[in-house]
Amino acid sequence: MAETMLYPRDWSRQPPADAPDYLSTRARSPKRPLVYLPDRALQTTGPVFNDDDLGENDWDLLTNYAAPGASANGPRILMHGRVLDENARPVPGALIECWQANAGGRYRHVNDTYLAPLDPNFCGCGRTITDDDGAYRFRTVQPGPYPWPNGPNTWRPAHIHFSVCGASFAQRLITQCYFQGDPFIPHCAIVQSIPNADAVDRLTAKLDLDATVPHDMVAYRFDIVLRGRFATYFENRPEGT
Amino acid sequence: MKPTRPNTKLFHETASQTAGPYVHIGLTPHATGIALYDHEAGSRVAGPQTQGERIRVHGVVWDGQGDPVRDVLIEVWQPNAAGHFAGSDTAEADFQGWGRIVSDFDTGEWRLDTIKPGAPEGQAPHLHLWIVARGINTGLHTRMYFPDEPRNADDPVLTMIDVAEHRQTLIAAHLGDGAYRFDISLQGASETVFFDV
Ligand SMILES: [Fe+3]
């Protein structure tokens, strides 16, 4: 049996449940400590996804909701990267779902009432499955910053929400990807709830000039790391045997 | 006890961020009026070929002020009636074992249609739930156990929770006829037990 435990989650790099400057956490953060439960079933099983489950255009937010021949409004970007685990191994077959505001900072959601208009050719969601190298890509528009009710004048940096279903349910992750150099990042209570500067930097997509498509779109790179497994007890026996 | 083996990590897990109030766009677009995908992920835990007792679970996630969390999204992960997880050769082809639940945006009431799970590895039958919403920085893991289930008495997770009132937060109420009620409290005297998995 080569199954080994996942590394425990390193909470020093995760935002605490109760982050006082992020007001919504006050009434929604558990007050008792989490009960440590390295759940074998959760660490070794999880939903499995097939490319057949997805539409072939799902990854392309520029066109997946657009009228025929049309495209979403705003700066065209390629958002791409890899899903790896903490042992630097690729995670193939991971379902990545993303959602975001449009270029004006408005979400296509019944509860979003921001005055920026909806884009009729953009719904702001997409999904894909990582390939054998753990690689993924989305084509989309760069989202706009938007105001949020966390104070009299508070703005979210431009961001894309990412949901990742990896190889096991204990790796389940939802996060947000920011953009290199965004001046709102140091002012955002959600970002700053992360107590580790390197962990914040890793959430910031970097301009990737090499992947930029000439005369078409700018590329950003965002790699995602899921929890990895301890090496097997028997060091002379490779994992999987 | 956390393991004390040396860790050989090369990378660190990406930091979590809240799913925010608009999580439905990304994970359950139909719920916010976006008809984009033919097959929405997590829309059915168990298909018609899946064996087992059909059950329906009702609930509300409550915040610390006693208000329902109206924008919550919950995922369930569970084995089939024989205790086998989807993806194994022994699970039915139309058993996904995974589903997404969205609450009513006005009332916060949610509902899960599934089958009663079997008991994995000497534990009592339970549903594993993962809860995300605005104001929740890292998704919260919990379990729903069934009342009147004799195996609860020996379940290793229930028995490791010393305080009876805390243990009780993991046990649903039976409404009869395959229906259960499982309310989740994020804070307060009835705060649900959440796990670091
Ligand atoms: Fe957002």
Side-chain angles (χ1 to χ4, degrees):
Chain A
M1 168 93 34
E3 281 169 357
T4 55
M5 292 173 62
L6 292 179
Y7 300 119
R9 177 163 271 157
D10 179 356
W11 291 99
S12 74
R13 296 178 64 95
Q14 297 290 339
D18 186 2
D21 292 341
Y22 173 19
L23 300 184
S24 291
T25 66
R26 292 184 180 178
R28 293 183 169 194
S29 48
K31 295 302 177 214
R32 291 204 301 267
L34 301 178
V35 175
Y36 182 63
L37 174 70
D39 186 321
R40 184 185 165 279
L42 283 194
Q43 295 196 359
T44 57
T45 65
V48 177
F49 304 98
N50 303 304
D51 289 312
D52 305 346
D53 299 335
L54 275 54
E56 63 181 36
N57 226 18
D58 289 357
W59 69 285
D60 183 9
L61 286 72
L62 283 182
T63 63
N64 68 11
Y65 195 75
S71 164
N73 246 316
R76 299 160 61 85
I77 64 169
L78 174 71
M79 177 61 73
H80 75 129
R82 291 172 78 198
V83 180
L84 303 163
D85 70 16
E86 288 169 309
N87 297 318
R89 294 195 181 96
V91 182
L95 176 69
I96 306 187
E97 294 157 292
C98 71
W99 67 102
Q100 63 169 91
N102 67 22
R106 172 81 182 270
Y107 284 93
R108 185 174 288 279
H109 190 287
V110 289
N111 292 337
D112 188 1
T113 55
Y114 181 37
L115 55 82
L118 288 171
D119 174 352
N121 291 309
F122 185 71
C123 69
C125 56
R127 57 185 185 174
T128 189
I129 292 175
T130 55
D131 69 13
D132 290 346
D133 293 323
Y136 76 90
R137 60 186 188 143
F138 290 108
R139 217 163 70 128
T140 186
V141 292
Q142 185 156 2
Y146 58 83
W148 64 303
N150 195 56
N153 182 21
T154 45
W155 295 76
R156 295 299 326 280
H159 61 275
I160 300 177
H161 298 261
F162 275 79
S163 161
V164 187
C165 296
S168 74
F169 199 71
Q171 293 176 315
R172 190 79 181 80
L173 177 73
I174 285 182
T175 190
Q176 301 183 30
C177 160
Y178 305 98
F179 291 85
Q180 182 178 20
D182 188 327
F184 287 107
I185 289 174
H187 301 290
C188 174
I190 290 178
V191 185
Q192 297 305 324
S193 68
I194 300 169
N196 179 295
D198 178 65
V200 171
D201 184 61
R202 304 281 171 157
L203 285 188
T204 309
K206 305 297 188 293
L207 177 65
D208 184 354
L209 266 181
D210 290 340
T212 291
V213 183
H215 311 291
D216 182 345
M217 56 186 170
V218 167
Y220 284 90
R221 168 120 194 163
F222 177 55
D223 291 337
I224 297 166
V225 179
L226 304 181
R227 294 168 65 191
R229 289 185 191 288
F230 280 104
T232 52
Y233 268 114
F234 307 100
E235 300 282 339
N236 57 340
R237 214 191 316 169
E239 200 169 328
T241 61
Chain B
M1 282 290 288
K2 294 207 181 190
T4 51
R5 277 181 277 167
N7 101 39
T8 50
K9 279 186 205 180
L10 297 170
F11 294 154
H12 295 287
E13 184 191 19
T14 299
S16 173
Q17 291 273 263
T18 179
Y22 308 128
V23 58
H24 319 95
I25 293 179
L27 305 191
T28 56
H30 268 290
T32 187
I34 300 172
L36 182 66
Y37 303 138
D38 290 340
H39 304 286
E40 228 168 70
S43 54
R44 191 175 69 178
V45 181
Q49 309 306 321
T50 299
Q51 309 278 309
E53 181 195 351
R54 301 279 148 176
I55 62 169
R56 174 170 282 186
V57 182
H58 302 265
V60 167
V61 178
W62 299 99
D63 75 11
Q65 297 179 316
D67 291 323
V69 178
R70 297 179 176 87
D71 49 6
V72 74
L73 185 140
I74 302 172
E75 291 187 0
V76 60
W77 178 241
Q78 65 164 98
N80 71 2
H84 301 149
F85 286 91
S88 73
D89 300 337
T90 42
E92 296 89 345
D94 71 348
F95 177 68
Q96 246 226 315
W98 176 70
R100 286 177 169 158
I101 310 152
V102 175
S103 71
D104 183 285
F105 292 162
D106 295 320
T107 65
E109 283 278 344
W110 53 263
R111 184 183 90 206
L112 165 66
D113 289 307
T114 184
I115 54 146
K116 184 172 178 187
E121 295 179 351
Q123 303 182 49
H126 62 272
L127 304 175
H128 189 90
L129 302 174
W130 186 69
I131 301 153
V132 297
R134 168 177 65 86
I136 295 176
N137 274 336
T138 306
L140 297 169
H141 289 275
T142 190
R143 289 180 167 197
M144 186 199 104
Y145 286 86
F146 294 84
D148 309 324
E149 176 59 63
R151 285 169 288 190
N152 287 353
D154 302 317
D155 180 83
V157 174
L158 286 178
T159 52
M160 90 179 168
I161 300 168
D162 296 331
V163 182
E165 294 81 38
H166 298 180
R167 195 160 56 233
Q168 204 56 38
T169 66
L170 301 180
I171 301 174
H174 198 186
L175 305 176
D177 210 19
Y180 294 87
R181 175 104 202 156
F182 187 61
D183 281 5
I184 294 165
S185 295
L186 299 179
Q187 289 180 0
S190 58
E191 182 179 310
T192 300
V193 173
F194 298 105
F195 297 101
D196 179 8
V197 302

